[in-house]
Each structure stands twice: as C-alpha cells, then as structure tokens.
Amino acid sequence: MDAPSQNAFKKLIRVLTERMFKHLRKQFVTRFFGRSRQRARLVSKDGRCNIEFGNVEAQSRFIFFVDIWTTVLDLKWRYKMTIFITAFLGSWFLFGLLWYVVAYIHRDLPEFHPAANHTPCVENINGLTSAFLFSLETQVTIGYGFRCVTEQCATAIFLLIFQSILGVIINSFMCGAILAKISRPKKRAKTITFSKNAVISKRGGKLCLLIRVANLRKSLLIGSHIYGKLLKTTVTPEGETIILDQTNINFVVDAGNENLFFISPLTIYHIIDHNSPFFNMAAETLLQQDFELVVFLDGTVESTSATCQVRTSYVPEEVLWGYRFAPIVSKTKEGKYRVDFHNFSKTVEVETPHCAMCLYNEKDARARVKRGYDNPNFILSEVNETDDTKM
C-alpha cells in the first residue's frame, strides 16, 4: 500500500473512532444522567395529568360521594369490580338474614317443630343457607319454584317487594356503570396518536412548529378541533411568580383548525410570528428554555356521538429545530393510498433559520430592496462640471 492510501486509511480509522466514542459518550450520558435531567411535566405523553391535591378538607371530600355516579366511573377497574361484587353479595346476604329473621319470628324453622297444618311465611326455609338461597333467587328473579312466599305473613310480602325494588336499583346502577366505563370515549382516544417529537422548520416561507397526529381507526372524528397551551413559569411586573402560566397556541392545517378531515395522518403547525411565544427563541437557546407545550384534540366519535379529548405534551428536549417530518402517505399501483406508520415520527434534517427574528429581518431587507427604499444617510453633493476641451 502506497503512502497516500495509508494516510487516507488512517484518516478514515480516526474519523470512525471519533464517531464511535461520540456515540458511546452520548449513550452513557443518556443512560446514567438522563433521568436526573428529565423535566417535570404536567401532562404525560399518553395524556395523563401529573397533579395531586393536598390538604383537601373533609367536607370537600364528601362532595365526591354526593356525585357518586362520576366517582364510580372514575374508579379503576379493580376497585369497580370489588364494589360490583360486594354490592351484590352484600345485598343477598343482608336480605338472607332478614328472611331468616322472618322465619325465626314466625317459628317456621324445623327446630320449632311446627305442626302439620302450619303455614310458613316462606316455604322450604330450613336455615340460614336456605334463606340466603331464597334471597338470591328473589333478587336475580331466578324463580326455581321450590321456595316461595305465602299469603300468611304481610311482613314477608313487604320484604319481597322491597328486595325486588332494591335489587332492580342495584342491578341498574352497577350494570350501567360497567357499560358506561366500557363505552367511555376515553378509550377511543387511545387510537389517536401524536408524533414523538415536534419539529421547527420553514413551511410556506414561514417558520413553523409542526406536529403530526394520526387516527388509527377508519371511523372519523366529527367536528375535530385542535389547539395548544404553553405552560411556563412567569414573573409579573408586580413581582408575582405564576407557576404553570398558560398561553394559547393556535394550531392550523392548510384547511383551518376546525372540522378536520381526519381520514389520514395530518401535520398541524403553529406559525412562529411576532405574536408567538416562540418568536424570541433560537436553536441555540431552545434547550435552555423551561416550558411545556400541551396539545389538545377535541372531537365527536362517529359511532357513539360521544365527545372525546386527546392530550399530549412536549418539553424542550422533544422539540427538534431544523427538522421536518418524513413523507408518510403514498399511492400504490392499484390506486389505493397507503400510510406507512414506520415513518410517522421519523424526521429529516433541513436547512432552517436559527431564529424567527433572523428570518423576518431577512424578509424585511429583501422587501426594502424590491421597493427601492432610499438610504437616509446618503447626501448628494453637487459638483460643478468644467469643460476643459477646447475646439
């Protein structure tokens, strides 16, 4: 191998070694120090709110029991199923005790040795177990026909009516709560996904913050509306510190931000102009900012007509400056449109101004050149011309 080839080979080895050590250092920092650098966020990537309420008065806690329907719906499944089983078993056992008491008072039990012509309040109740079975058969309207109420006791007839009514109420409430929780639009929101990162790049000649959102179902969201909130800590001129101060962020697509035709993934964008809170940020200072961008998508489920809301958030580390999203929709030879979700969150680096102010200053300068603005510092000096040529 000649000398030039050896030098090129050494240079290649050196470049590859530097890249390898740079990659290993990045992985080491991310693995061991990434967690300590994670910012506290109000809304997680899947839309859950990271907030807790402390020092709530006991009287305020009682309000949750007043609105028992919403409280039951908001419970987790394990607690809901525990209440479901407890409600039915508890009511069966409670009325079983009452039926046993009626039989005991009327001396219908075998230990009282009733006469042959004795008419019991409830036929074939011989103990607590049979009373529990009769309570179960009454409340769930099984009606085996072996145990039944006679007309001998008005107390038994009243207890039968009361248990039947209460059983219908318990059955309606618990089954309705289970059905309502299963059909909640919150589950429909799980099939709406946002891109992992937000990107900042030029779109239509303007600097924009872009986010990609997709509907994983073929059924549409009717009347969709998308908007955002920028959360950050601010200090007022009076010196008051406001934590989680909210600023409206307007997101649009090419057709507007309402009534989206949500049949394929959409790229929504926020124009970074003079009224945008991102206007004074730059590529070099983005990671030094302390904010959280929360994005909301509201819509009506086409199949159930229920309104749902999807949420996600982005912190400065998840906003990529100078990137755009890779294409995701293509057309097959058969004439069908194909969505490749492999590229859903994939980004491509593009040339982008490092700040919004630079872009608009450049545009203003070009506009002034086209309009032919005079230089105010230019002074025209008159010079008397002399003709030194003689004929």
Side-chain angles (χ1 to χ4, degrees), residues 181-296:
K181 189 171 182 65
I182 292 176
S183 60
R184 291 183 76 179
K186 185 178 180 180
K187 300 303 179 183
R188 176 64 175 90
K190 299 295 183 181
T191 55
I192 306 295
T193 180
F194 288 88
S195 57
K196 182 180 178 181
N197 298 99
V199 297
I200 295 179
S201 61
K202 292 176 64 176
R203 187 182 181 95
K206 300 178 181 179
L207 192 64
C208 300
L209 184 143
L210 301 98
I211 297 172
R212 179 171 279 174
V213 58
N215 178 18
L216 301 181
R217 289 186 179 273
K218 291 186 177 180
S219 59
L220 301 179
L221 284 180
I222 304 173
S224 301
H225 174 67
I226 194 161
Y227 57 98
K229 299 286 185 181
L230 187 69
L231 309 178
K232 61 187 304 184
T233 302
T234 59
V235 180
T236 63
E238 295 77 16
E240 179 186 2
T241 301
I242 302 178
I243 301 177
L244 298 180
D245 186 26
Q246 301 183 15
T247 304
N248 290 327
I249 302 295
N250 296 322
F251 282 98
V252 296
V253 293
D254 293 333
N257 64 341
E258 295 184 357
N259 299 324
L260 306 178
F261 187 44
F262 210 1
I263 194 172
S264 64
L266 297 176
T267 301
I268 61 175
Y269 58 90
H270 163 72
I271 300 176
I272 304 178
D273 54 11
H274 296 81
N275 298 322
S276 172
F278 296 96
F279 184 76
N280 295 321
M281 299 183 188
E284 297 81 4
T285 62
L286 179 63
L287 296 179
Q288 302 174 8
Q289 304 293 326
D290 185 14
F291 66 84
E292 180 178 356
L293 175 61
V294 184
V295 183
F296 303 86

Side-chain angles (χ1 to χ4, degrees), residues 12-30:
L12 177 62
I13 294 297
R14 184 170 64 256
V15 171
L16 293 177
T17 304
E18 291 178 356
R19 290 184 178 180
M20 182 182 66
F21 278 107
K22 184 178 180 180
H23 177 73
L24 292 176
R25 184 171 64 253
K26 182 179 179 181
Q27 293 293 330
F28 177 82
V29 172
T30 303

